[in-house]
Amino acid sequence: MDEIDSECEEKRVLAAFTRRVTEVAILSRSSRSSWNSTDPLNILSQPALLLDLDGFVVEANEAAASLFNNDIRVRQRRLFIRDPEARNRLRIYVDQFEYATAEIAPVVEPIIVPRQDSLPILLRIWPIDGGARWPSADVRALVTLNALGPRPGPPASLLARTFSLTPSEAKLACIIARGAGPDTAAAELNISRETARNQLKSIFAKTATHRQGELVALLLQV
């Protein structure tokens, strides 16, 4: 039963994201003359690119371009993945574009792209159908890339306004949101461990949290 519930939840999340992709695609058809075809991808606020009927890369946003290296990049207009297994999984999915007569379902499991000098990239493929296709009718899928590894926390100024934190508490919360402990934060902020721990207690109180993991989960929603 748990496995069935988990699968249903994954499908729900996929459906919600697909609707968001459709909304962004339709938005790209607006009459704003200042927009270009990559604007909808940048709205997604994450690395993403578009594939056409033949598997060629139509567009890639700046966030995606920043991840490209020898392990994953656009080569001769195609998304090239160095790892053979991941490359084959991508090819199998792309081959469906030309021959599929029914709607292609999103891939629940991501394609794991190993990298030599850092943690893997999780690559997910989201089919785009009908009027949502942009910038041309040949577009078949949006590909999102999630690079695993430490990420910067939310802006300290935003955390301060959201939770009524002092400037020093907000800076500490920003570091804690990355998953760092109070001792690490103290070193980065050049404050004593005792000061960091006292500020953390105040942050717990203002955010109605009790453990660091609970606090991080809350902060990352901002």
Side-chain angles (χ1 to χ4, degrees):
M1 181 64 70
D2 290 342
E3 291 182 0
I4 294 176
D5 291 342
S6 177
E7 182 178 353
C8 289
E9 177 63 14
E10 287 180 336
K11 289 181 178 179
R12 185 192 67 77
V13 172
L14 290 175
F17 187 88
T18 303
R19 286 196 299 271
R20 172 59 174 153
V21 169
T22 301
E23 291 169 0
V24 170
I26 293 173
L27 184 60
S28 75
R29 293 173 175 268
S30 78
S31 59
R32 291 189 186 182
S33 59
S34 61
W35 280 34
N36 59 50
S37 56
T38 59
D39 283 330
L41 294 183
N42 290 319
I43 290 174
L44 291 175
S45 301
Q46 71 177 84
L49 53 89
L50 297 173
L51 298 180
D52 70 7
L53 177 68
D54 299 311
F56 289 116
V57 175
V58 178
E59 302 282 3
N61 64 8
E62 295 178 1
S66 69
L67 295 179
F68 294 154
N69 56 19
N70 289 332
D71 297 308
I72 180 170
R73 65 187 185 278
V74 176
R75 187 174 75 177
Q76 297 178 343
R77 295 182 57 209
R78 291 190 181 275
L79 182 61
F80 171 78
I81 300 175
R82 184 178 56 84
D83 179 73
E85 181 178 347
R87 185 169 66 244
N88 186 56
R89 284 193 60 192
L90 175 63
R91 180 189 60 79
I92 290 173
Y93 193 88
V94 168
D95 284 347
Q96 300 180 61
F97 295 164
E98 185 174 359
Y99 303 107
T101 55
E103 180 179 343
I104 302 174
V107 177
V108 174
E109 288 191 8
I111 297 175
I112 302 173
V113 180
R115 293 188 289 176
Q116 289 182 318
D117 300 323
S118 51
L119 293 172
I121 288 177
L122 301 185
L123 185 152
R124 286 184 169 87
I125 304 172
W126 311 88
I128 301 176
D129 297 292
R133 293 175 182 163
W134 88 95
S136 74
D138 289 333
V139 170
R140 285 297 183 273
L142 175 127
V143 179
T144 57
L145 302 91
N146 180 19
L148 301 181
R151 296 183 180 184
S157 58
L158 181 58
L159 293 180
R161 294 197 304 271
T162 303
F163 300 109
S164 299
L165 304 179
T166 66
S168 57
E169 290 171 350
K171 292 178 182 178
L172 178 67
C174 188
I175 296 174
I176 294 295
R178 295 182 349 224
D183 291 349
T184 300
E188 288 192 30
L189 297 172
N190 196 28
I191 59 178
S192 69
R193 293 181 179 180
E194 182 178 0
T195 298
R197 293 181 184 277
N198 288 335
Q199 289 179 355
L200 183 56
K201 290 179 181 178
S202 177
I203 294 170
F204 281 146
K206 292 180 179 180
T207 58
T209 56
H210 302 88
R211 297 183 302 275
Q212 185 171 331
E214 184 182 1
L215 174 62
V216 170
L218 176 64
L219 296 177
L220 291 181
Q221 295 181 51
V222 177

